[in-house]
């Protein structure tokens, strides 16, 4: 046994790795001859990593290729600017879908993300310490609930109330109802709130307590500390949380499909039925035969979601690069 | 925290009002979710506790085994709850005896109760008539979680071990991280489209549980890799150095020291991933289908199609014709939520402070 162990070469070999601190203890020539079982494990682990990268590329390539094919078939102009989506008649105007996705996701940020961030500030900075664990557990369960459950609950509880509101706003005889953009936006807001809240809690918990102590020592109240010290310190991560909420709202499918009404034209107002990219995909894919323009056009619309999540990754990375 | 002398400064009154408004708003946010959950469970409960006392004979292959497994799990769950409730009153010896007896008692209870379960939990779904159940959906949900985890687990842990311990090339790590970030940000409908293109169009294998399971495995990879990597990096360096100092290779150290130490974190990642399999519906509609076939409702063949609880809840609401679909939805949602809440609390327990 003695003498077989050579000194670790940690400092030398970890220079070329991403983060030497995190890769401890580093590769070690513990035996003079490499064991075949060690080699096998290394190869297997590398293979797993290759599978992950390959699968990601496959998702982008498969969906992207079919989407581009769809654009070639039905034309980019119509897909972006056309106002009627009628695959059975060969009319592919994607504007109602894009409009529905954009408006409902933006509405969700207003309805859900803003209260979520404020609630997170209250929980971390102002609430009694015992509140946090309970609050966090409730939000974790809420974030894990299936979107169909949210959709079903909204059908029971939200849509009838929205119907009343619509009639108050537009009058009894107007062609408005509970199923529509407004319901979708409120529902999406409720759905993204737990996620945004949990991420904001995490962001605020990372604020060093020395900053809070310094602020208190200068005579600031907890309210002042919360809004002038902690929130400004954590704003990048909070912004990432809000972006994440927006992307989740834009990509959400089943719940929106259940409450938005499914009208494939531009909505007249917030209370008229509409549709979104993902809701239309899930509805039409059940009938569309693969390889037909009707199916390919849906993949072209899915490209929007793909690009959106790509943008999301880039924005997150840009914002996080500057945080310590 | 603030000095009392400063409470008289200008704006202090406004601050108090704003603070209270903030508190009220935050409590309202939590209240919305808690009351939603309570409403959901209360509405679904009547359908769930509608016990049948008449024997309900099995008619389909595998149905008897499914009922036995369900009855045994429910009995085990009930005993676990009861034991927790009365544990302070028990001596250590009785507690140990109960723990030893739990498995045989659960098996016997499973045998005895398998024909007396709530009809809703074991019945076949019905498209047009009242009284439909969710037996096959429950089975598919659990079976899909098993299939999906079997794929996520090795690949996820492997990739995490590579990132945390063996990676040397900076570019590879960067590529892997970019891939995981992209996967994590993709909407689930895109996974569904991908699965549809690969399994239904390219491989022409039709809707199948295997396709659904593999797509969900891919969807869960960022979660599992992320938590596993984090747990591996939290392993105390001294432990690994001690192992290396004893002459173990780095592979041996990783397999026998680091991974066992990181195991609670990995387990909680798996449980969270299972919860997402329970919850997901959009990708499954496009890969596993929305139907349940009477002939092979409880078959273990992964190449058959089948709907899960989440998909069933959507299907009943959007295309179901049964007159009692509101009650069926309520029961399905309550079962689904109970499953997910259980997995989530389990994950929190597993990831919590270690017993030592």
């Amino acid at each position: 046994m003695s003498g077989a162990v050579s000194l670790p070469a940690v400092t030398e070999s970890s220079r070329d790795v991403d983060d030497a601190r995190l890769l401890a203890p580093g590769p070690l020539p513990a035996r003079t001859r490499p064991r075949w079982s060690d080699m096998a494990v290394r190869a297997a682990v590398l293979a797993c990593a290759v599978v992950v990268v390959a699968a990601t590329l496959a998702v982008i390539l498969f969906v992207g290729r079919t989407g581009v094919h769809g654009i070639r078939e039905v034309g980019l102009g119509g897909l972006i600017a056309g106002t009627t989506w009628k695959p059975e008649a060969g009319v592919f105007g994607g504007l109602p879908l894009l409009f529905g996705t954009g408006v409902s996701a933006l509405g969700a940020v207003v309805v859900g993300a803003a209260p979520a961030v404020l609630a997170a500030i209250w929980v971390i900075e102002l609430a009694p310490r015992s509140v946090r664990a309970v609050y966090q557990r409730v939000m974790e369960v809420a974030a894990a609930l299936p979107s169909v459950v949210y959709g079903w609950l909204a059908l029971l509880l939200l849509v009838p109330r929205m119907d009343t509101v619509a009639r108050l706003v537009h009058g009894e005889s107007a062609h408005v109802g509970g199923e529509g953009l407004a319901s979708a936006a409120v529902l999406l807001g409720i759905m993204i709130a737990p996620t945004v809240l949990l991420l904001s809690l995490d962001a605020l918990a990372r604020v060093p307590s020395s900053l809070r102590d310094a602020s208190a020592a200068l005579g600031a109240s907890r309210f002042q500390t919360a809004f002038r010290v902690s929130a400004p310190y954590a704003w990048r991560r909070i912004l990432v949380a809000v972006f994440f909420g927006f992307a989740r709202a834009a990509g959400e499918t089943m719940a929106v499909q259940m409450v938005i009404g499914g009208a494939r034209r531009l909505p007249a107002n917030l209370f008229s039925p509409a549709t979104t990219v993902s809701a239309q995909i899930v509805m039409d894919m059940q009938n569309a035969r693969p390889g037909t323009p009707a199916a390919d056009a849906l993949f072209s619309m899915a490209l929007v979601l793909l690009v959106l999540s790509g943008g999301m990754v880039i924005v997150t990375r840009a914002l996080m690069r500057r945080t310590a | 925290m603030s000095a009392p002398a400063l409470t008289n400064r200008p704006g202090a009154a406004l601050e108090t009002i704003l603070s209270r408004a903030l508190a009220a708003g935050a409590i309202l946010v939590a209240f919305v979710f808690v009351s939603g959950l309570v409403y959901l469970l209360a509405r679904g409960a009547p359908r769930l506790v509608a016990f049948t006392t008449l024997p309900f004979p099995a008619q389909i292959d595998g149905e008897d085994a499914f009922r036995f497994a369900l009855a045994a799990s429910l009995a085990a769950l009930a005993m676990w709850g009861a034991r927790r409730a009365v544990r302070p009153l028990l001596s250590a010896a009785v507690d140990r005896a109960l723990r030893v007896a739990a498995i045989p008692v659960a098996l016997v209870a499973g045998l005895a109760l398998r024909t007396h379960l709530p009809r809703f939990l074991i019945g076949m779904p019905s498209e047009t008539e009242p009284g439909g159940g969710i037996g096959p959906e429950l089975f598919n949900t659990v079976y899909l979680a098993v299939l999906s985890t079997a794929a996520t687990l090795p690949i996820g842990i492997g990739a995490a071990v590579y990132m945390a311990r063996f990676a040397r090339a900076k570019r590879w790590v960067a590529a892997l991280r970019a891939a995981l970030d992209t996967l994590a940000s993709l909407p689930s409908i895109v996974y569904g489209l991908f699965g549809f293109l690969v399994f239904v169009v390219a491989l022409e294998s039709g809707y199948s549980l295997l396709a659904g399971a593999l797509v969900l495995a891919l969807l869960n990879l960022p979660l599992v890799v992320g938590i596993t990597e984090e747990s591996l990096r939290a392993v105390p360096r001294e432990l690994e150095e001690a192992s290396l100092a004893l002459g173990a290779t780095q592979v041996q150290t990783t397999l026998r020291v680091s991974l066992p130490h990181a195991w609670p974190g990995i387990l909680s990642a798996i449980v969270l991933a299972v919860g997402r399999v329970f919850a997901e519906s959009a990708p499954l509609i496009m890969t596993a289908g929305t139907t349940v076939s009477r002939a092979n409702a409880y078959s273990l063949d992964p190449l058959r199609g089948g709907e899960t609880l989440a998909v069933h809840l959507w299907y009943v609401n959007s295309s179901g014709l049964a007159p009692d679909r509101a009650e069926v939805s309520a029961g399905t949602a309550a079962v689904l939520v109970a499953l997910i809440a259980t997995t989530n609390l389990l994950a929190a327990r597993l990831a919590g402070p270690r017993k030592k």
Side-chain angles (χ1 to χ4, degrees):
Chain A
M1 277 290 273
S2 64
V5 183
S6 55
L7 275 175
V10 173
T11 44
E12 200 52 46
S13 57
S14 48
R15 238 175 238 159
D16 55 340
V17 297
D18 191 15
D19 189 342
R21 175 176 54 88
L22 298 173
L23 285 164
L28 294 170
R31 285 168 190 263
T32 39
R33 226 153 26 95
R35 293 153 46 112
W36 71 268
S37 58
D38 279 17
M39 302 290 274
V41 171
R42 278 172 191 276
V45 161
L46 180 64
C48 290
V50 172
V51 166
V52 174
V53 177
T56 313
L57 290 178
V59 173
I60 296 170
L61 282 180
F62 266 80
V63 177
R65 200 187 56 182
T66 314
V68 170
H69 187 66
I71 292 178
R72 287 227 188 92
E73 272 177 292
V74 302
L76 185 60
L79 273 176
I80 293 177
T83 53
T84 314
W85 181 266
K86 222 175 191 181
E88 61 274 18
V91 182
F92 301 99
L95 191 59
L97 284 64
L98 297 171
F99 181 80
T101 296
V103 171
S104 59
L106 278 178
V109 168
V110 174
V111 173
V117 170
L118 288 174
I121 291 177
W122 178 75
V123 169
I124 294 278
E125 303 288 337
L126 301 170
R129 198 157 282 192
S130 54
V131 167
R132 185 179 162 186
V134 178
Y135 211 95
Q136 186 154 358
R137 187 60 50 77
V138 170
M139 289 303 152
E140 274 167 8
V141 173
L145 287 187
S147 51
V148 278
V149 168
Y150 276 103
W152 178 69
L153 269 180
L155 274 182
L156 288 181
L157 302 176
L158 178 67
V159 170
R161 281 164 186 75
M162 206 52 100
D163 195 65
T164 317
V165 174
R167 286 181 200 295
L168 274 178
V169 174
H170 291 280
E172 279 301 323
S173 55
H175 283 288
V176 291
E179 295 195 347
L181 268 182
S183 287
V186 171
L187 171 61
L188 283 173
I190 292 174
M191 287 178 72
I192 64 170
T195 312
V196 176
L197 213 152
L198 287 170
L199 290 171
S200 305
L201 283 181
D202 185 52
L204 288 164
R206 285 167 189 265
V207 176
S209 55
S210 57
L211 285 181
R212 287 196 195 98
D213 294 346
S215 170
L218 289 171
S221 66
R222 289 174 71 173
F223 190 87
Q224 286 171 320
T225 305
F227 283 93
R228 302 207 191 154
V229 177
S230 300
Y233 183 90
W235 76 268
R236 283 177 196 277
R237 282 177 192 277
I238 293 179
L239 199 60
V240 167
V242 174
F243 272 126
F244 194 76
F246 177 80
R248 286 267 316 252
E252 175 51 50
T253 309
M254 307 310 296
V256 177
Q257 191 273 324
M258 288 165 90
V259 302
I260 202 165
R264 302 173 299 180
R265 53 174 191 273
L266 281 175
N269 56 57
L270 277 181
F271 298 101
S272 26
T275 188
T276 68
V277 171
S278 43
Q280 205 54 47
I281 290 174
V282 85
M283 284 319 289
D284 288 2
M285 275 316 274
Q286 299 186 79
N287 307 319
R289 273 190 301 125
T292 58
D296 290 347
L298 288 173
F299 280 89
S300 308
M301 295 315 288
L303 272 185
V304 175
L305 299 177
L306 205 64
V307 169
L308 193 72
S309 56
M312 168 68 211
V313 172
I314 291 168
V315 168
T316 310
R317 293 192 151 205
L319 281 168
M320 298 298 264
R321 192 167 294 142
R322 297 194 203 149
T323 52
Chain B
M1 242 211 238
S2 57
L6 294 175
T7 46
N8 289 332
R9 72 196 152 69
L14 181 67
E15 244 175 45
T16 314
I17 295 169
L18 285 177
S19 291
R20 293 213 177 126
L22 207 54
I27 291 167
L28 184 71
V29 168
F31 177 75
V32 166
F33 290 102
V34 173
S35 57
L37 265 178
V38 170
Y39 176 85
L40 191 85
L41 293 172
R43 217 180 139 143
R47 173 68 39 152
L48 289 182
V49 295
F51 273 87
T52 159
T53 46
L54 297 167
F56 189 20
Q59 296 164 318
I60 309 165
D61 280 351
E63 198 179 357
D64 213 35
F66 162 70
R67 287 187 194 171
F68 168 67
L70 181 65
S73 328
L74 287 175
L77 197 69
M79 282 194 289
W80 181 77
R83 178 173 154 259
R84 267 185 73 91
V86 299
R87 187 152 56 176
L89 307 173
L90 301 176
S91 67
V94 175
D95 192 45
R96 203 172 311 130
L98 280 182
R99 205 183 300 178
V100 172
I103 292 177
V105 169
L107 293 180
V108 172
L111 274 179
L113 295 175
R114 70 184 193 282
T115 51
H116 296 281
L117 288 162
R119 228 168 231 273
F120 182 66
L121 285 182
I122 54 177
M124 289 294 286
S126 167
E127 190 94 7
T128 48
E129 277 159 37
I134 54 165
E137 282 80 11
L138 198 55
F139 174 79
N140 285 344
T141 305
V142 175
Y143 187 42
L144 196 78
V146 172
L147 286 177
S148 173
T149 308
T152 321
L153 196 58
I155 296 175
I157 294 182
V161 165
Y162 175 78
M163 285 227 287
R165 288 292 174 266
F166 295 145
R168 303 234 200 139
K170 210 173 177 172
R171 273 194 200 156
W172 259 110
V173 175
L176 195 53
R177 251 184 235 296
L180 288 168
D181 282 355
T182 311
L183 285 183
S185 72
L186 282 180
S188 60
I189 185 100
V190 174
Y191 285 96
L193 288 172
F194 171 67
F196 181 80
L197 277 181
V198 170
F199 294 101
V200 181
V201 178
L203 297 178
E204 293 177 1
S205 63
Y207 293 129
S208 70
L209 287 178
L210 186 66
L214 289 179
V215 165
L216 291 186
L218 191 57
L219 183 135
N220 271 327
L221 270 178
L223 177 84
V224 173
V225 174
I227 300 182
T228 306
E229 195 199 350
E230 210 175 290
S231 318
L232 278 173
R233 293 195 193 282
V235 174
R237 196 178 165 152
E238 295 78 14
L239 283 181
E240 294 181 329
E241 282 174 351
S243 164
L244 293 166
L246 288 169
T249 63
Q250 206 201 356
V251 168
Q252 286 171 325
T253 304
T254 306
L255 292 183
R256 305 211 188 143
V257 177
S258 315
L259 276 177
H261 199 274
W263 189 241
I266 298 173
L267 261 186
S268 81
I270 295 166
V271 175
L272 285 176
V274 166
R276 277 175 61 176
V277 174
F278 291 164
E280 208 52 76
S281 47
L284 290 176
I285 290 172
M286 291 177 198
T287 51
T290 56
T291 53
V292 161
S293 140
R294 195 169 176 80
N296 56 11
Y298 298 102
S299 148
L300 285 174
D301 175 16
L303 292 178
R304 71 178 171 91
E307 61 171 358
T308 63
L309 285 172
V311 175
H312 185 60
L313 178 55
W314 173 74
Y315 185 79
V316 165
N317 269 293
S318 66
S319 338
L321 298 169
D324 62 343
R325 59 187 188 157
E327 286 84 55
V328 171
S329 303
T332 310
V335 172
L336 191 53
V337 166
L339 271 176
I340 285 165
T342 313
T343 51
N344 246 58
L345 296 180
L346 191 63
R349 257 178 88 88
L350 289 170
R354 252 175 236 129
K355 277 177 269 170
K356 265 279 155 71

